Amino acid sequence: VAGTGEAGNALNELRRPQAVCIDQTGWLLVADTGNSRILRFGEYSLDGQIVAGVAGQGGDLDQLHTPWDVTIDRRGRMIVAD
């Protein structure tokens, strides 16, 4: 399970999560809208890994603004609605 129950920006905290999905290998992906990032959690992991939006909010290629949905297509590619 992702998050601590408290809003924040640490790798074990979420701020206004909007969507989740599970990829073909069992990773849980979370659109962490309030932190402008997509986190990936493995089974039994307490901390997530940032897989999109590594540089905070913005419009550069390594940034997201307000991601509100995440999914994985049939080929295993992540699609983010930002």
Side-chain angles (χ1 to χ4, degrees):
V1 177
T4 63
E6 297 293 324
N9 62 1
L11 292 176
N12 66 346
E13 297 174 322
L14 304 170
R15 185 179 308 277
R16 294 191 329 270
Q18 295 295 313
V20 298
C21 75
I22 297 177
D23 72 9
Q24 295 92 329
T25 60
W27 290 97
L28 172 70
L29 298 166
V30 179
D32 186 12
T33 303
N35 286 315
S36 304
R37 63 188 182 183
I38 304 297
L39 289 174
R40 178 173 75 175
F41 292 86
E43 188 176 6
Y44 305 113
S45 63
L46 298 176
D47 292 342
Q49 300 170 334
I50 301 172
V51 295
V54 296
Q57 188 178 43
D60 291 336
L61 292 177
D62 59 350
Q63 296 177 308
L64 297 173
H65 191 267
T66 50
W68 54 271
D69 202 1
V70 61
T71 193
I72 301 293
D73 72 8
R74 288 186 214 157
R75 294 185 179 171
R77 296 174 294 198
M78 180 175 57
I79 301 168
V80 177
D82 185 23

